[in-house]
Amino acid sequence: MGMVGDTARMPDRLPSAASTGDLALPEAAETGRASHALARLGPAIDAFQAAHATVPYAAYQRPSDAATAGHLPEAGIGLDAMVDELAGLVAEGSRIGAPGFVGFITTGASTSGAIAETAMAFAGGQRYTIHAFNRLEHDSLRWLAQLCGLPEGVTGVYSSGGSTANLIGLGSARQSAFERLGFNVAEDGTPAGVRGRIYASELAHRTVHRAAAVLGLGRQAVRPIPVDGDGRIRLDELEAAMTADARDGIVPVATVAIAGTTDTGSVDDVAGVAAIAQRFSSWVHVDGAYGLIGNASPRLARLYAGLDLADSWIVDPHKWLATGVGVAATFVRDEGVLTRAFAEGDAAYLEGAFTPEDAPAVSQFDRMNGRWADQGLELSAPPRGVMVWAVLREIGRAGVIARVDRHVAYARHLADRAMADPRLELLLDPQLSVACFRYRAPAGVEPDALNARILERLRRETGQVPSSTVVAGRFAIRPCYINPRTTLADVDALVDAVIGFGDELTGGAAGGAG
Ligand SMILES: Cc1ncc(COP(=O)(O)O)c(C=O)c1O
């Protein structure tokens, strides 16, 4: 490395400041007055939340042009004016937290998650070194594992969402599968001529396929296994696929059990999947991005039998825990595999940050306090666990169980109404908090198009906003209940609106010719 003064080896120098006077100019950004800014913003957030229930969805469709369009500002407007603009934008923000929003599997933060995130931004900084927020990273991972009924001693790591969490779990699986064959893929890459396979039901989230692509296995390495009438992976089909591949010398990298499919909320038979996978020496990965939290409820525990047989699990607190978007956890049984798969490696600039655990630390910087950089995809990252900590500290395990049970009961209530009303059709019996139903089209009316039209009107004209999917080839209106603000009245309002629009579009006949 060139030494300072070794001019022959120095690159062109950057121009220095025009004068030493420039060096005394004040910084443009405020780094204090947080309470002042929060006090200005707070009322706008309260008003936004209050309006959630009443303002029609369409009113939020376009962000205002005033503050978002235009050019890169040459001169800043200052903190106060910026906060005022921000407060105006809050009113036009995302409606995913509104009580009637039950689309996809997403929701807004409850207050504790959002407040914790704000505190984290000021006082949490990085998830490294020894500080209070970093401790919450550790504690909340342990709490989350306990909440979801995972085995003692699992190692967890946070990342930004189910997409990355699946990649970390499946990356560990790939490391393990190839190590058994004598290859270290993290160092040497995937060996030529060896084909790997990931088994997952046809309802697997597409982030599993993307993980396969990123891991060099290719999307085609994900073998879709058919599901039964309840949306669960068919074990006979899984066994047949693994047997055929074993004959062809294909390496079983991972077998995925889905604890809560995105489309239908179905929970695969984890014990059954694990029993087959283990016969073929396959890693078992549980994608519980949505549904793993359901195992907190004793009433649902029977759905999750065999969870302890898996090798890795993922869960998204930003779904059913409503922490605010941007936090998922991957847990693995074997910390060594995880670390070998994702180690960042040595870096000179981190010298000194690894004081032995038993040596007294005299500053925050004496220890990294977690091998996060070696156990996932990110180096810099916030201690997201504070959002999980905050929600669990606020409502406890009991609050989570109550929420899960309430939401599952909502889906059941909707299903019961759909079965009781001749104008409606239940497409799949709900297991968790997703219900798939539709208006029964009278003779001569194409049911998929009719229900797509109903969905469009729901979104335009009401506060009830589900999304859709296809169940066994049939278009379904699909609410997913994870939103803490949703009430039973919202569930009924959705059903009533579907009936109302269906009647109107078909001429009002209850299941008859329109
Ligand atoms: C089962 C499942 N896995 C993975 C994901 C991806 O999670 P994220 O959107 O947090 O990346 C989802 C998202 O809904 C999901 O339902």
Side-chain angles (χ1 to χ4, degrees), residues 105 161-163 166 205 207 258 260 262 287 289-290 314 316 318-319:
I105 311 181
S163 311
N166 267 335
H205 198 268
T207 53
I258 310 170
T262 318
D287 182 351
Y290 152 51
I314 73 156
D316 277 12
H318 68 203
K319 292 187 163 64

